[in-house]
Amino acid sequence: MTASRTARERVRAELTKEITDIARRQLATEGAGGLSLRAVAREMGMVSSAIYRYFPSRDDLLTALIIDSYNALGEAVERAEAAVPRDDHLARWLAACGAVRDWGVAHPHEYALIYGSPVPGYQAPQDTVTARVRDVAVLGRIMSEAWQAGALRPAEEEAPPELEQEVVNFRPLMPGVPDNVIWRVITGWTGLYGWVSFEVFGQFNNTIEDRGTAFGHTMRLAAGTIGLTR
Amino acid sequence: MTASRTARERVRAELTKEITDIARRQLATEGAGGLSLRAVAREMGMVSSAIYRYFPSRDDLLTALIIDSYNALGEAVERAEAAVPRDDHLARWLAACGAVRDWGVAHPHEYALIYGSPVPGYQAPQDTVTARVRDVAVLGRIMSEAWQAGALRPAEEEAPPELEQEVVNFRPLMPGVPDNVIWRVITGWTGLYGWVSFEVFGQFNNTIEDRGTAFGHTMRLAAGTIGLTR
DNA sequence: TGCTCGTCAAGAGCAGTGCTCTCGTTTTTT
DNA sequence: AAAAAACGAGAGCACTGCTCTTGACGAGCA
């Protein structure tokens, strides 16, 4: 009986996947604003209302794409970082940062979907939270291990005590490390995405041309300032 | 004859201003995606096609709003920075950063318009370039004067020579200062907007609650790492 | 003063969107 | 075999940006 039920559910899963695939391709070429349920349906040879059997609204389709994008980015970061020798914490950090940039430049519309302006209302945060922290988890792990290895420069400034509560959501990612390390991760994390967002969203147009080299220098600079040394 | 022509042009200018005002209000409440020419026309008691006498397309209206937003943000930054004693470079820097954050939090949709995902096609970059650099000009001026006053910590790392060409567009804003200062400005600049974008776009939801205090700490940390000391 | 000519608002209309509802058909469940 | 659920198709609603045409008004020239 599972087989018979699976018969229907299998074609359902296949169609669902086909919808998201076509939608992802449209998203990559047209951008989030140009994603059209009717166009997806047209390309599938379906009628537009049939799509609603699989995604109750356009936002739900977008949410699925958002989760996919988070996972794709997170996987790229994890893979790039895993290819670096464990004891070279600076190189691991730079590899992770470079992976974020490379992925963002290669998939600007997907990047805009997850790090740009929130599209319409809000996306469900609960569904995405597991996929969303993969990148910062990598960054946190690098800094944790650097700290445990004694490879981290001592903190120049301690966080004020009233901020102890604020990093509570980061502690599970970096168990045992002092708060000042967490704050340095946050600083590097936000700085990384500040650069990548500027680059992907065109803020460097006609301003910085060789962005790859400039990015590398800036990240090396920033890594040094949060305590990662060669 | 100028008077009679001005009579016509004056009402034209007034209507243009009324359109942008209503559009800005719609933008503030609905977001860029919800800005509708027809709704603007409806609120003015006009018919939708009449709007096209004043703005040839929706994107042109958006471009006008973009320039307005750049100027509003730039002015907020300039004003906040001007209120701080000249010789306290760190306080000036933090005031400028705080102004960016305050403005972004207070006007999230306008902020998204200029620092979020680029909306549809592209906006005209030439018209906006003068308004667009007001914030970074302030940041650059602070660091320049700090350097000239000898209040800047010496650089830890020099930029590689192949990057000399990349900062050519920043030199007019910071005449006479060495490249490493410019790179530190760029690092602080991108880091600042990285934080603000994360905060405005909801990346800190359910993660960091007292964002004002956390922002202050992070900016103080980052200011220290680019050489601004108390 | 009278006559053009450019500017303007209005209206109809086109193509497109997200989404809803209904109606047969097919598949699964009972 | 009968009841229930899932499904695709189609029509339709309200909305969008945008174009084209029509008619009125006012400014400049003869």
Side-chain angles (χ1 to χ4, degrees), chain A residues 120-135:
Chain A
Y122 288 107
Q123 58 267 49
Q126 308 296 28
D127 304 6
T128 69
V129 70
T130 63
R132 212 171 65 181
V133 296
R134 290 175 71 170
D135 55 345

Side-chain angles (χ1 to χ4, degrees), chain B residues 7-69:
Chain B
R8 199 180 207 125
E9 285 187 349
R10 212 172 51 197
V11 58
R12 196 188 209 303
E14 265 178 26
L15 281 184
T16 305
K17 176 170 169 17
E18 191 177 341
I19 292 175
T20 55
D21 282 349
I22 295 179
R24 185 175 15 253
R25 233 186 29 237
Q26 277 197 10
L27 173 71
T29 60
E30 309 284 336
L35 201 171
S36 151
L37 283 186
R38 291 179 117 107
V40 172
R42 215 175 297 131
E43 193 166 334
M44 293 183 64
M46 282 171 102
V47 86
S48 69
S49 58
I51 301 282
Y52 289 85
R53 298 268 173 200
Y54 300 88
F55 292 93
S57 82
R58 196 191 101 116
D59 283 8
D60 290 88
L61 216 190
L62 268 182
T63 301
L65 295 181
I66 287 174
I67 299 177
D68 281 1
S69 298

